[in-house]
Amino acid sequence: MSRLDESKSLVIEARAARMKETQALLSAEEKDALIRRYHPDFRKEAYRPIRLGPNQGEQTVHELANLLEGESPVAAEAISLSPQHQVDLLIIGGGGAGATAALTAKAAGAKVLLATKLRLGDSNTVMAEGGMQVAVSAEDSPVRHFLDSLRGGYMKNDPALLKTLVEEGPEVAKWLMDLGVLFDREEDGNLSIRGGGGSSKPRLLRCKDYTGLELMRVLKDCVLNEQIELLEFSPIVELLTDGAGSCTGAILKNLDNNQYIVVQAKSVLLATGGIGRLHIQGFPTSNHYGATADGLPIAYRAGAKLTLQDTFQYHPTGAVYPEPMAGILVTEAIRSVGAQLVNVKGERFINEMETRDAVASAVIRECAEGRGVETPAGRRGVWLDMPMVDLVNGEGTLAHRFPNMLRQFSRYQIDIQKEPVLVYPTLHYQNGGIQINVDGESTVPNLFVAGEASGGIHGRNRLMGNSLLDIIVYGRRAGRAASKRATEISFGSTTLRHLDLFHDAQKKAGVVPQTVSPMLFPDYAKKNE
Amino acid sequence: MSYSDPQSPLVRIEVDGAAHPVPEGITVIQAMWKIGRPMIHGVGCLGGVCGACPITYRLPDQLTSKTALACQTAVRDGMAITFIPSDSSKKAIALIPAAPPNQKTLFQYYPETRRCTACRACSSVCPQEIDVMGGVRAAINGDLSNVAEKFTSCVMCGLCAAVCEVQIRPHRVGMYARRLTGAFYPKEATRLLQRIEEVRSGKYESAWNQLLSADDAALSKYCSSEEAAQKLAS
C-alpha cells in the first residue's frame, strides 16, 4: 500500500471519532499569529516596492510589480489613433460585472460596445460555486453583513463601498430573479440560505454548486437578447486619454488577425477581472484562463491609483490530486455542511469555518511541518473528508447539493461520496485592485471599474459569496454612472500622451521594463503571435 | 507553473491527424500548450463549466468517437482528438414575457422542439451527462420546471444541438425554460421582499450613520462585540 493509501485509511478509520470532536475557533491572537507565520501575503521575499506611478513606494508581489512597470505593446509602434468605433460607453470584459454593466447602460439609453478577450461569459464568474451573500433572513440584516465583511477584511474595507454593497444586495437579488435566475428555494418560496466562513448568520443564496454558471448563463442570454454590440476575442491593450488626464477610449487587439482596433468612447468601464493566472508565488490557481489582471497595468499607466494591491486570497481547498485537477476549486460550502480538513495522520487541525486566510494558513502549516500528504506528481496537500457530508446530513446530500464536484472527480474515478480528496490552497482572488468610489469611478476621470479589477470593497480578505454580489451591485452602479457621464460630455481627443508621461517617469525612476503588459495569457500557454 | 511531472512517461496523441508525444496524466488542453498549439478559440475556464472546449476523441480500442470537454479529459495513449466549435447553433431572441408562460411561449421561439424523434443522440453526447432528451420531452409536455431542473448543469457547449437530426437546440430550450421558471416562480420569496422594503423605508439609516461616522476604534468595537453588533443590527 502506498503512503497515500495508508494515510487515506487512517482518515477513514478516524472518521467516527472525529465526528464527535469539536474544534474551537481560534482566538484573535492565535489567528493573527498563524496568518503572520504561514499566509503567503506575509512572505517578505515575494514582495517589492512599486518604483513609479500613483502607488510608488508601496509594496506588491514581484509578478504584479513587473506588470505595472511594464511596457505598453503599442508604445513602440506608429499606429493611427483615428477611431474605428465611436460609442458612449466601452465596456472591457465579458464576465458578470461587464455583462451587468452593459445591460444597465443599455437600459439607460447609452450606446454600448462590449469587448472581451475570449467569448462573452468567459470569466471567473462562471466558475463561482458557493453562492452570493445577501442578508435576507429575519435574524440577519445588512448591518450584520457589513460588520462580518469588515471583520473578515481586517477593517481595511472602504466603509462607503461596503455599505453600498450590502445594502443593495436584496434589491440586486430581486433583479436577478426577475431576469430568471433560479436560486435554490425553500418549500415556502423563500430563498434557501447557508452559512459561509466568517459570517455570523447564514446568508448564501445559491444554485446548487453552479451559482456562477447560473448567473453568467442568464446575464449572457440577456446581453444577446438586447443585441448589445460585441467584440469577442478582442482584449484591451492600452487606454486612450485626452492628454489632460481623462480617459477617452481604448485600443483593443483582434486576436485572430493581430490588428489593433481603436475605440473612442465618452466613458470606459474596465471589468477585466483578477490575477490568478499569474500564479503568484508559484501557486496553482482556481481562475479562468484569461485571468491575467489586464486592467491593472493599463489603468496604472493612465494614472489610476490602486488600493490593497499587496493582498491576495488563497482559497484553502484547491484540488491537488489527480494532477489534471490541480488548482480546481473545491467549494467552501462543502466545509460549511460538515466536510472536515485532516492531516496525514487523520487528525483535524483547524475549525473549517474560520475565514479563508486562516484556513489556508493552517493547511500550509500542516504541509510545511511535515503533516501533509505527497502526491505522485510531488505536490503536497491535506485531506478534505467529503463523505462526512452525507454522514452528517443524510445520504445523497453530496450528490444533490454538489453535483459539479461529484462529476468533476468522478471523471478521474474518484467517488467523493466514499473517499476523501487531497487539497492545498489555490490562488483564488485579488483582494485589492483599482481604487473606485461608490459610482465605480477610478481616480482617472471617465474611467470606471467594476468587479475583481476594482479594490477596496473587500479589504484585505474577502468573505465567501461577496464577489458574486460585488460584480452585480457595482456592475449596475458603474454601468449606470458611466452611461450618465456619457450623456453629459462630448468625445475627447484620443491620444497616448499618458504613455509619454509614463516613459518619463520610468526614466526618472531608472526603471527598465521587464515585460510587456498586459500579459493577456499565461506564459505557459504558447500563443499565436 | 509546472503542470506535469517531468519524469512522467510519454503517451502519443493525434490532433487533427498529426501525432505528438505528450506527458501522461495531463489534460487535453494542457497537452495543446505542451505541443505549442495556439489556444485562443476552444479554451475557457479550464474548470469544466464554460463549454468552450468540446472535442471528439477516439481511442485505439474503440470503433466510434466520444465527446468530452478538453479541460476535463486526461490524455491517453493513441487518443485521436478533434476540437469542435462551441455552441454553433443560432440563439432566438427570446424575451421574458409579461404574463406567465404557457406551452406556446417556448414553441414560438423554438418550434422545432416538437419534432423530437427520441433518438437519444443529444443525451449521448452531453459532457455533463444531462438527460437531454428527457428535457426535450418534458418541454414538449409543457413541464417547464422539469426542463429547468434537468438543465441545471448545462454549460451551453451546444453539442446536443450539433448532433440533432431534426435541428432541435436542446440547450437553448433548457436555458429559456430555466429563465421562464425563475422569472415566474410560483411562490414569492417573501423574506427578501420584506428586506427590500426595510432598506427602502430607512430602517437601517441610524445604524449606517453611526457606522460611517465611527472611527477605527469604534468600528473595531462593533466588529468584536456581539452585543454591540446585535444592538446596532436589529
Side-chain angles (χ1 to χ4, degrees), chain B residues 36-115:
Chain B
R37 200 180 150 102
M39 286 303 290
I40 290 169
H41 298 269
V43 65
C45 71
L46 307 175
V49 286
C50 81
C53 60
I55 52 169
T56 66
Y57 69 90
R58 194 172 53 75
L59 294 168
D61 57 349
Q62 291 173 343
L63 288 176
T64 55
S65 299
K66 288 187 187 305
T67 47
L69 297 175
C71 75
Q72 297 292 295
T73 307
V75 291
R76 288 165 62 183
D77 197 38
M79 194 180 209
I81 302 156
T82 302
F83 276 77
I84 304 174
S86 169
D87 196 14
S88 52
S89 75
K90 187 177 175 184
K91 187 187 122 53
I93 304 292
L95 303 173
I96 300 293
N102 55 37
Q103 214 157 355
K104 281 186 192 153
T105 314
L106 206 153
F107 295 143
Q108 81 189 71
Y109 299 112
Y110 298 105
E112 67 283 355
T113 309
R114 282 176 291 202
R115 290 192 221 135

Side-chain angles (χ1 to χ4, degrees), chain A residues 406-417:
Chain A
L406 193 69
R407 176 173 298 108
Q408 285 192 312
F409 280 98
S410 74
R411 284 180 171 132
Y412 299 100
Q413 290 77 51
I414 293 172
D415 183 355
I416 60 169
Q417 298 171 106

